[in-house]
């Protein structure tokens, strides 16, 4: 198996402290010993030594959400996502991917999305939004997850942003950052090509507001590493909303409603931003924190994985609800479409989940 020296070194540098064992949201959901960073590294080193076959560890690589909770806790300071993504590339190049991954890649080839064909309602809504918001200097980079699975939230975001800034638009040629292809295949020629095409489309705009922090992190880190640069100014949705509120372009009222932020791992750990979501809550209500917050935040769901391991994703969302319920948090505010969709699908009676933009929209003066 061909992986870089750095990835190999990271897979083999474990000190067996087991600090990663209790933090993996997937292992915590399905109770499987193979679902933590240490176990994944061990499997990779077995393949390197020739005692295990690549195809036999493929499923375990696709059971990782890349949430980085393990890296945040690892005493050796390593990041398992490095070898996991390189191993995925090898799996794809050698044609050893599990059938369910092949199906998602076939969807991508035939419909341009790993999720396959969109349902009719979502398709019509998207088309309506594309027509209504077809022209502007500021682009909302909706991203693959929101476009395919949470179009209603996008509609609310466009409504809100258009109240605050004069020219917001959607552009379907700029919606595919290459994230899902990267998640499934790692850094392949096709992934980099897709990212480059998206960057070209983004550069037609003065400013780009990225809806999904996971894709914002992908642009800031992976794109940069691949030498893909942007002329357009790129900001996250939280930053844009705060800016509009602070500059009185969006007027909000403060109430005594308690909101609990579901920190998204990309904002909290990869973009080092644990404040923007809470600052937005403070503008309109009161912050009530749940268990495991800021950099210790737990994943609440991942939509690509939901396509092939829905039962585990259900348990991941339920575990997160448990963290909220234990602290009496009634209304969760999400920063990412994956977590919004999956927390909503598994919402306990008497509880509520809304997006950051929905919260602001509900509290306009
Ligand atoms: S990145 Fe997240 S899902 Fe993957 S091994 Fe680490 S903690 Fe588990
Ligand atoms: S936290 Fe790091 S060093 Fe400790 S067991 Fe996990 S992978 Fe190994």
């Amino acid at each position: 198996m061909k992986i870089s020296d750095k990835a190999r070194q990271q897979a083999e540098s474990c000190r067996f402290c087991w600090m990663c064992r209790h933090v993996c949201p997937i292992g915590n959901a399905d109770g499987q010993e193979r679902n933590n960073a240490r176990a994944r590294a061990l499997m990779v080193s077995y393949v390197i030594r020739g005692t295990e076959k690549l195809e036999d560890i493929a499923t375990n690589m696709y059971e990782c959400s890349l949430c980085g909770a393990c890296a945040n806790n690892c005493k050796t300071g390593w990041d398992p996502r490095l070898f996991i993504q390189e191993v995925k590339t090898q799996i794809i190049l050698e044609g050893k991917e599990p059938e369910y991954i092949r199906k998602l890649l076939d969807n991508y080839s035939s419909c341009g999305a790993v999720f396959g064909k969109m349902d009719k309602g979502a398709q019509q809504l998207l088309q309506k939004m594309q027509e209504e918001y077809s022209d502007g200097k500021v682009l909302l980079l909706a991203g693959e997850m929101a476009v395919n699975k949470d179009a209603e939230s996008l509609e609310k975001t466009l409504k809100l942003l258009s109240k605050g800034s004069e020219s917001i638009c959607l552009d379907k040629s700029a919606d595919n950052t290459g994230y899902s292809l990267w998640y499934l295949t790692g850094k392949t020629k096709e992934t980099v090509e897709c990212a480059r095409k998206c960057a070209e489309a983004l550069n037609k705009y003065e400013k780009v507001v990225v809806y999904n922090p996971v894709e914002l992190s992908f642009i800031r880190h992976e794109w940069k590493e691949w030498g893909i640069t942007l002329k357009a100014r790129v900001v996250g949705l939280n930053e844009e909303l705060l800016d509009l509120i602070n500059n009185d372009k969006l007027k909000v009222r403060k109430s005594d409603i308690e909101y609990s932020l579901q920190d998204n791992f990309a904002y909290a750990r990869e973009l080092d931003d644990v404040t923007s979501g809470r600052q937005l809550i403070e503008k309109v209500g009161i912050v009530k924190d749940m268990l495991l917050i800021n950099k210790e935040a737990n994943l609440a769901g991942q939509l690509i994985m939901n396509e092939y391991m829905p039962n585990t994703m259900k348990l991941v969302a339920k575990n997160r609800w448990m963290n909220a319920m234990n602290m009496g948090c009634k209304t969760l505010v999400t920063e990412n479409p994956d977590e919004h969709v999956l927390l909503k699908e598994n919402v306990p009676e008497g509880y509520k989940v809304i997006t950051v933009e929905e919260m602001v929209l509900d509290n306009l003066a």
Side-chain angles (χ1 to χ4, degrees):
M1 179 173 61
K2 270 207 286 183
I3 56 170
S4 67
D5 288 345
K6 195 173 172 195
R8 180 185 298 240
Q9 208 176 25
Q10 298 237 347
E12 295 184 336
S13 62
C14 180
R15 290 186 196 158
F16 303 97
C17 70
W18 281 119
M19 289 300 287
C20 58
R21 194 187 194 190
H22 63 290
V23 296
C24 181
I26 313 303
N28 284 341
D30 68 9
Q32 297 291 331
E33 273 299 329
R34 65 170 189 271
N35 273 322
N36 57 63
R38 168 66 203 138
R40 292 190 218 287
L42 207 54
M43 290 198 201
V44 171
S45 41
Y46 287 158
V47 176
I48 293 170
R49 286 176 175 74
T51 54
E52 198 74 71
K53 288 185 187 151
L54 185 57
E55 55 267 43
D56 294 335
I57 70 161
T59 284
N60 193 229
M61 297 301 116
Y62 287 102
E63 285 173 331
C64 173
S65 67
L66 308 181
C67 75
C70 48
N72 189 48
N73 280 271
C74 181
K75 296 301 156 216
T76 59
W78 69 322
D79 189 342
R81 291 170 296 185
L82 179 70
F83 66 76
I84 288 171
Q85 287 306 87
E86 288 196 20
V87 172
K88 280 183 190 168
T89 303
Q90 282 308 302
I91 290 169
I92 297 296
L93 292 178
E94 292 185 26
K96 302 277 169 62
E97 67 276 13
E99 209 179 304
Y100 54 84
I101 297 297
R102 174 50 37 210
K103 189 174 158 253
L104 299 189
L105 291 171
D106 287 346
N107 283 345
Y108 188 86
S109 306
S110 57
C111 328
V114 299
F115 305 102
K117 268 195 180 161
M118 238 185 262
D119 69 64
K120 224 174 176 177
Q123 213 173 348
Q124 283 168 347
L125 178 57
L126 198 65
Q127 203 176 339
K128 189 182 129 229
M129 289 190 280
Q130 275 156 356
E131 282 163 12
E132 199 174 330
Y133 299 95
S134 61
D135 198 23
K137 290 181 188 149
V138 182
L139 172 77
L140 176 68
L141 197 177
E144 300 164 84
M145 270 48 85
V147 162
N148 287 279
K149 296 288 174 185
D150 204 6
E152 284 176 14
S153 292
L154 280 183
E155 193 185 26
K156 287 178 187 162
T157 309
L158 285 164
K159 202 166 149 191
L160 185 61
L161 290 178
S162 63
K163 278 184 196 292
S165 54
E166 33 335 317
S167 59
I168 187 83
C169 67
L170 266 191
D171 179 347
K172 70 174 171 199
S173 71
D175 263 346
N176 187 352
T177 58
Y179 180 82
S180 63
L181 212 48
W182 177 72
Y183 177 78
L184 294 171
T185 68
K187 186 193 170 192
T188 57
K189 213 171 88 212
E190 290 77 10
T191 310
V192 179
E193 189 48 39
C194 182
R196 273 194 209 292
K197 258 172 114 176
C198 184
E200 269 171 36
L202 298 188
N203 278 334
K204 289 187 289 186
Y205 299 90
E206 279 174 16
K207 182 156 96 173
V208 176
V209 179
V210 184
Y211 184 69
N212 184 347
V214 172
E215 294 185 86
L216 179 63
S217 168
F218 181 60
I219 290 172
R220 294 237 167 109
H221 298 129
E222 275 73 23
W223 280 25
K224 193 172 167 206
E225 200 188 302
W226 303 342
I228 302 173
T229 48
L230 285 172
K231 282 190 271 166
R233 195 175 144 234
V234 176
V235 298
L237 178 63
N238 282 4
E239 188 183 338
E240 178 69 4
L241 290 177
L242 270 176
D243 193 51
L244 293 174
I245 294 172
N246 287 335
N247 288 306
D248 271 344
K249 289 186 177 169
L250 276 179
K251 292 193 190 337
V252 292
R253 56 185 150 73
K254 188 163 168 75
S255 72
D256 55 3
I257 301 173
E258 289 180 340
Y259 295 103
S260 308
L261 188 70
Q262 162 57 27
D263 289 273
N264 179 253
F265 69 86
Y267 266 144
R269 290 194 275 268
E270 294 166 13
L271 298 164
D272 213 11
D273 175 6
V274 295
T275 54
S276 63
R278 286 181 179 78
Q279 281 173 0
L280 280 168
I281 293 179
E282 275 164 6
K283 296 282 178 195
V284 299
I286 295 163
V287 177
K288 182 171 175 63
D289 273 326
M290 57 203 279
L291 290 172
L292 299 170
I293 56 163
N294 299 331
K295 285 190 185 295
E296 301 302 321
N298 233 356
L299 179 85
Q302 210 264 27
L303 284 169
I304 303 175
M305 293 169 83
N306 192 48
E307 293 294 303
Y308 55 88
M309 42 196 293
N311 292 337
T312 305
M313 281 302 112
K314 195 177 275 185
L315 293 170
V316 166
K318 283 188 170 170
N319 280 349
R320 202 52 182 142
W321 272 119
M322 201 63 83
N323 294 154
M325 288 156 80
N326 284 340
M327 295 296 279
C329 300
K330 292 278 182 190
T331 305
L332 295 199
V333 179
T334 56
E335 305 178 309
N336 155 276
D338 302 56
E339 298 188 309
H340 177 240
V341 170
L342 292 165
L343 283 171
K344 204 168 178 175
E345 275 178 21
N346 295 284
V347 64
E349 216 183 310
Y351 292 79
K352 195 172 154 188
V353 57
I354 57 175
T355 59
V356 159
E357 63 276 13
E358 209 173 343
M359 174 185 74
V360 177
L361 207 52
D362 285 350
N363 290 287
L364 286 181

